[in-house]
């Protein structure tokens, strides 16, 4: 290969390599490395499409109860395992009619295209987790919002309503003080 051809090819090879690296980073940023669920950015883009297309969509916000205590008592590896199992259970429940995501820490989110059986979700999520020969207690509070019940169909309003419902399920007023449910 002559030097002129090489001089022309090198920037193209560099650009292609850089593009591949950026594409890989973008793809992995949309997936939580621990659970494999979509991150906030990846889940939000999908959830907004579902809300636009499906009037009967339901948004769920989930939070593991006493997760700090689980970590402190059994170790962070046990806590990570509980998060992974919760993600698997939530994904199985969503099936092909919804999608789950992890917002961070012990907080998960899901959207289903139609009104799901929430009782089966509660049963699936609130089962102990077998880890290192022990049964770890797992309890998950779930808040939901039927998008059709909102005055304006928006993801932010659905998440706020589901957040209020989740904290009501926990028996607390929530992280930003008391709120009323729009039902």
């Amino acid at each position: 290969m002559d030097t002129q051809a090489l001089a022309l090819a090198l920037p193209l090879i560099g650009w292609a390599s850089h593009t591949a690296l950026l594409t890989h980073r973008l793809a992995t940023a949309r997936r939580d490395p621990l659970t494999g669920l979509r991150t906030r950015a990846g889940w939000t883009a999908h959830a907004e499409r579902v809300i636009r297309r499906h009037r009967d969509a339901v948004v769920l916000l989930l939070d593991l109860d006493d997760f700090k205590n689980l970590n402190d008592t059994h170790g962070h590896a046990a806590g990570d395992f509980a998060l992974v199992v919760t993600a698997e259970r939530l994904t199985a429940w969503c099936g092909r009619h919804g999608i789950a995501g992890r917002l961070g820490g012990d907080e998960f989110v899901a959207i289903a295209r139609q009104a799901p059986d929430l009782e089966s979700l509660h049963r699936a999520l609130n089962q102990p987790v077998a880890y290192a020969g022990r049964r770890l207690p797992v309890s998950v509070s779930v808040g939901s919002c039927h998008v059709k019940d909102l005055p304006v169909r928006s993801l932010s309003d659905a998440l706020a309503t589901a957040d209020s419902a989740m904290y009501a399920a926990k028996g607390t007023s929530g992280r930003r003080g008391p709120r009323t449910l729009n039902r």
Side-chain angles (χ1 to χ4, degrees):
M1 180 179 258
D2 69 351
T3 54
Q4 188 176 18
L6 185 60
L8 291 173
L10 281 177
L12 292 175
I13 293 169
W15 179 80
S17 298
H18 183 69
T19 301
L21 176 66
L22 290 178
T23 302
H24 175 72
R25 284 186 178 169
L26 180 62
T28 57
R30 294 189 178 265
R31 292 280 178 186
D32 175 58
L34 178 64
T35 63
L37 293 179
R38 292 176 188 255
T39 60
R40 181 184 302 268
W43 181 84
T44 298
H46 183 80
E48 286 174 342
R49 282 193 304 275
V50 170
I51 285 175
R52 280 194 307 272
R53 295 178 184 162
H54 300 278
R55 176 173 158 64
D56 293 330
V58 177
V59 174
L60 306 170
L61 197 59
L62 307 92
D63 188 74
L64 273 71
D65 301 326
D66 299 319
F67 184 68
K68 182 180 179 340
N69 186 43
L70 178 81
N71 266 340
D72 291 348
T73 304
H74 302 283
H76 290 282
D80 285 351
F81 188 75
L83 292 172
V84 169
V85 169
T86 299
E88 290 170 352
R89 291 172 177 175
L90 182 58
T91 299
W93 178 83
C94 284
R96 45 189 191 108
H97 301 292
I99 189 156
R102 181 174 176 213
L103 297 181
D106 63 337
E107 195 169 60
F108 295 86
V109 67
I111 188 164
R113 290 189 285 264
Q114 55 201 2
D117 176 16
L118 292 176
E119 206 44 51
S120 68
L121 176 62
H122 285 280
R123 280 192 306 274
L125 293 177
N126 290 297
Q127 297 293 316
V129 173
Y131 176 76
R134 293 176 278 173
R135 292 173 55 84
L136 304 177
V138 174
S139 174
V140 181
S141 294
V142 179
S144 65
C145 174
H146 295 263
V147 175
K148 67 182 176 186
D149 294 339
L150 295 172
V152 176
R153 289 180 4 192
S154 79
L155 181 58
S156 61
D157 288 348
L159 285 170
T161 301
D163 187 54
S164 293
M166 181 187 68
Y167 277 98
K170 282 184 175 292
T172 65
S173 60
R175 57 181 134 220
R176 293 176 212 73
R179 289 191 248 158
T180 58
L181 299 177
N182 298 328
R183 288 218 156 201

